[in-house]
Amino acid sequence: MQTSYSSSRILLPVRPWFIACTLLVALLLNFLPTANWPGAPDWVALVLVFWCVREPRRVGMGLAFLFGLAMDVADASLLGQHALAYVLVAYGASSLSRRILWFPLGQQALQVFPLLLLVQLVQLGVRTIVGADFPGITYFVGPCLGALLWPLLTFVLLLPQHQPVDHDANRPL
């Protein structure tokens, strides 16, 4: 049940508290010890891309910067590494939001993959500039898994916005 420009399904407006909760859950998923495993997606980047595509006026570069700083502190990494990557991906997702939404979910995942790869490349670039070693090719499995999870994430995060199928005559919507 894809809701895109060609879909006839009307979505309810998203609640700001729902956006905040999903971003906090993504942040908590990135805090788990399993987030450092090879192939684990960057949940904050994935959810940021989703909300920047779906709600570019509510979620943008400022929120991406704050969550990036939180990830920098949590990972004890170079301050600004995640923040820079998240700001760039938020800008890219916001600029491409109208284009991405025209595609079906499978093709949206192909459009989102370069954005998720950008996050990894920026973080790798910042790490190598300060002298870190190349982590290996498995470092780039996370964006692939994130792109594969895009249809499922879209379905789950859009569920609260769906209107009921049976319309009640007493309800305005």
Side-chain angles (χ1 to χ4, degrees), residues 62-103:
L63 203 56
F65 182 76
L66 291 176
F67 275 93
L69 286 180
M71 280 304 302
D72 288 333
V73 171
D75 279 353
S77 59
L78 187 64
L79 192 63
Q81 168 184 321
H82 286 87
L84 174 65
Y86 290 168
V87 165
L88 290 175
V89 80
Y91 175 75
S94 296
S95 342
L96 297 174
S97 66
R98 294 176 63 123
R99 173 185 172 176
I100 291 173
L101 290 175
W102 276 100
F103 293 107

Side-chain angles (χ1 to χ4, degrees), residues 12 30 35 41 43 48-49 52 56 64 72 81 84 94 98 104 115 117 123-124 127 144 148 155 158 163 169-170 173:
L12 296 171
N30 270 7
W43 293 104
L48 269 173
V49 167
C52 285
D72 288 333
Q81 168 184 321
L84 174 65
S94 296
R98 294 176 63 123
L115 293 171
L117 189 62
Q123 290 178 4
L124 179 66
R127 286 180 189 160
C144 297
L148 289 175
F155 178 75
L158 288 181
Q163 290 186 357
N170 298 325
L173 290 177

Side-chain angles (χ1 to χ4, degrees), residues 124 127-128 130-136:
L124 179 66
R127 286 180 189 160
T128 54
V130 295
D133 293 332
F134 181 71

